[in-house]
Amino acid sequence: MHDFHYEGRDLWCEEVPIRDIADQMGTPLYIYSHRTLRNHFRVFDDAFSRIPHMTCFSVKSNSNIAILRIFIREGGGADIVSGGELYRALQAGADPQKVVYSGVGKKVEEIEDALASNILMFNVESFQELEVINACAARMKQKAGIALRVNPDVDPETHPYISTGLKENKFGVNVEKSLETYLKATKLKFLDIKGISCHIGSQLTKTSPFIDALDRLKKLYGRLQDAGLNIRYLDLGGGLGITYNDETPPHPSEYADAIIRASREISCTFIFEPGRVIVGNAGILVAKVLYTKANEDKNFIIVDAGMNDLLRPSLYKSYHHIQEVRKTQRKEIVAYVVGPICESGDYLAKERSLPRFERDDLMAVMSAGAYGFTMASNYNSRPRAAEVLVAGDKWHIIRKREEYGDLIRGEKIPNMIERK
Ligand SMILES: *Cc1c(COP(=O)(O)O)cnc(C)c1O
């Protein structure tokens, strides 16, 4: 469910016509619905209200500090994967004791910053990383909360680039060998071993892989209890999918019921790290048609948003629904929607039946709230898009459009190549 809908011919977000915002802000433009964001968070979080739990929003899916603040106000925490994301979470007002730090390549400086901020725990991906965190904590005369990220070797049945819980992936510690790693970790005096974590992939459309992973974590939990470790947190990661096209992912309540049913014998606080399921359908990318043309037997619609604004189609061949911002009665054609970037992989839709868009028409690229702006780049020296948050009949700029000056910020021409 989301709050983008037609009123007459015009696409609205909540109580504001998209056209009005685009006229004032220009394009390309990200627009998010506050109501959708808040509702999605509540639906997810409430689904687990029967068990002790923490919903740590995955900052990498959408890291705008205004959006993070919405979830923090709802009692949410943050799942971070870098020092930059820690900075964002803290700027947004996150409680450090609700911050978990995931990721396979944490640098010493990033670990130190996280320790200084007193985060809840690190989800650690190797024994070497445990040793590094232990050494940082020792220098800082404190204890570091940790969970081992285990790799349960289950197939999430999603795109290979977003599968993370298969044994051939770079993530985590093999679940079979993890007991040994935990036991070695007990010798590291500056670690507080708090939990077990896993994250098996993204855009999952079934509950069974989550339950298979949980079953393997439960076995490990039992063994760790037997070994006398005090495991207080079970972090099941994120990954619940959404409908982009015709997928039928489980509703968060179905996902929650399955997890709650499968975890009766466990007395821990559960941590969830949802990203896409909260923000994916809560945002759109608005683009303007620059040109239309036909080459050979293909119709091209060239728009002012490209792979630098929304990388997912180019990176994962992913589908985003495309709608008119003002509905027309025009006949449908099969078209390619492409951006201005100098790459053949720069496209938003391929072989899609679409109304015959014309120059200057506005186009809405739906379900762009997750891994949209956060993956945006300045490739082709394109300033990054503006972001707007709609709430009821009001809208707010939550990130202004970049200017040319932003493109060269930090760059410097050394004296040796001074202008002649
Ligand atoms: C990306 C990621 C998430 C969020 O995944 P979604 O599919 O967006 O829910 C959660 N945890 C970790 C460790 C991740 O890398």
Side-chain angles (χ1 to χ4, degrees):
M1 279 305 295
H2 59 72
D3 293 85
F4 297 92
H5 60 276
Y6 286 97
E7 298 266 337
R9 293 164 60 202
D10 287 312
L11 185 64
W12 289 44
C13 177
E14 300 192 20
E15 284 127 62
V16 184
I18 299 294
R19 171 175 294 271
D20 288 359
I21 309 174
D23 282 349
Q24 287 185 57
M25 292 297 299
T27 50
L29 174 67
Y30 276 94
I31 298 179
Y32 307 101
S33 159
H34 176 263
R35 189 187 297 150
T36 310
L37 290 164
R38 200 185 50 189
N39 286 349
H40 282 180
F41 185 90
R42 285 183 181 169
V43 165
F44 188 97
D45 195 53
D46 289 352
F48 291 99
S49 57
R50 282 169 287 158
I51 58 169
H53 76 282
M54 219 185 269
T55 303
C56 296
F57 174 69
S58 169
V59 174
K60 79 174 192 283
S61 66
N62 190 316
S63 58
N64 186 291
I65 57 174
I67 288 176
L68 300 182
R69 173 68 63 81
I70 297 169
F71 309 137
I72 290 165
R73 274 170 56 106
E74 296 293 316
D79 165 46
I80 59 164
V81 295
S82 71
E85 288 191 354
L86 173 64
Y87 178 77
R88 285 181 173 280
L90 296 177
Q91 288 292 311
D95 174 355
Q97 283 296 300
K98 292 182 181 172
V99 173
V100 294
Y101 191 164
S102 306
V104 72
K106 307 175 189 80
K107 291 166 70 161
V108 165
E109 305 88 86
E110 293 178 311
I111 293 166
E112 285 170 350
D113 283 350
L115 284 170
S117 308
N118 196 28
I119 65 163
L120 178 69
M121 66 183 192
F122 296 88
N123 289 336
V124 181
E125 306 235 4
S126 65
F127 185 71
Q128 205 168 53
E129 186 189 332
L130 280 174
E131 291 181 310
V132 170
I133 293 174
N134 184 63
C136 289
R139 274 198 303 281
M140 296 171 71
K141 301 188 172 55
Q142 65 184 93
K143 279 204 164 193
I146 65 107
L148 264 195
R149 175 167 176 179
V150 300
N151 186 324
D153 191 26
V154 298
D155 186 355
E157 298 174 42
T158 183
H159 191 283
Y161 286 11
I162 48 178
S163 294
T164 54
L166 281 167
K167 62 178 186 301
E168 66 261 34
N169 296 135
K170 71 177 175 182
F171 297 100
V173 177
N174 181 314
V175 69
E176 302 299 330
K177 295 185 184 135
S178 61
L179 178 62
E180 198 184 314
T181 312
Y182 269 105
L183 294 178
K184 273 161 70 185
T186 59
K187 305 278 183 326
L188 301 174
K189 292 293 166 242
F190 293 88
L191 300 183
D192 176 8
I193 302 169
K194 291 184 173 177
I196 310 173
S197 78
C198 80
H199 170 73
I200 57 173
S202 199
Q203 184 54 15
L204 274 71
T205 53
K206 290 192 216 158
T207 46
S208 51
F210 290 111
I211 301 305
D212 292 349
L214 176 57
D215 283 342
R216 291 176 195 184
L217 259 59
K218 268 161 48 182
K219 284 200 194 97
L220 175 62
Y221 173 78
R223 290 189 197 128
L224 294 175
Q225 297 282 87
D226 294 345
L229 274 76
N230 180 15
I231 299 298
R232 287 145 282 164
Y233 296 94
L234 215 56
D235 182 342
L236 296 183
L240 189 56
I242 63 169
T243 303
Y244 285 100
N245 185 11
D246 52 8
E247 306 90 335
T248 51
H251 187 272
S253 63
E254 209 180 307
Y255 162 79
D257 288 347
I259 288 172
I260 294 170
R261 213 177 312 122
S263 58
R264 284 206 195 92
E265 42 305 48
I266 291 183
S267 56
C268 284
T269 296
F270 280 78
I271 294 177
F272 302 98
E273 304 171 348
R276 190 187 312 271
V277 69
I278 311 280
V279 293
N281 281 321
I284 65 172
L285 173 64
V286 183
K288 190 179 238 171
V289 177
L290 297 176
Y291 302 100
T292 59
K293 69 174 182 182
N295 274 5
E296 296 293 320
D297 53 352
K298 286 182 181 165
N299 295 307
F300 289 98
I301 303 170
I302 300 145
V303 298
D304 67 357
M307 64 189 284
N308 75 298
D309 300 297
L310 181 65
L311 184 60
R312 299 189 65 258
S314 306
L315 185 61
Y316 312 124
K317 299 190 169 70
S318 48
Y319 178 99
H320 285 268
H321 200 57
I322 286 184
Q323 295 181 198
E324 293 171 295
V325 169
R326 171 163 285 172
K327 267 192 190 160
T328 64
Q329 305 291 322
R330 294 185 204 138
K331 221 180 78 200
E332 293 210 335
I333 56 167
V334 175
Y336 287 68
V337 180
V338 300
I341 300 273
C342 304
E343 299 273 347
S344 291
D346 176 30
Y347 76 97
L348 297 173
K350 266 186 182 166
E351 288 184 43
R352 197 72 71 76
S353 269
L354 292 171
R356 191 180 283 277
F357 276 91
E358 289 175 5
R359 179 167 161 79
D360 288 336
D361 286 341
L362 291 174
M363 176 186 282
V365 183
M366 308 304 287
S367 311
Y371 308 102
F373 189 90
T374 53
M375 284 192 179
S377 78
N378 291 121
Y379 188 39
N380 279 204
S381 285
R382 288 166 48 82
R384 281 181 295 172
E387 294 179 284
V388 161
L389 180 67
V390 175
D393 59 2
K394 305 259 186 323
W395 57 274
H396 311 273
I397 301 171
I398 56 172
R399 192 178 212 274
K400 62 180 193 164
R401 184 176 304 286
E402 284 183 343
E403 295 169 359
Y404 289 146
D406 296 321
L407 295 176
I408 57 167
R409 189 148 51 104
E411 292 181 22
K412 232 173 150 177
I413 304 175
N415 285 338
M416 58 164 288
I417 43 174
E418 235 176 354
R419 196 196 296 262
K420 273 204 172 158

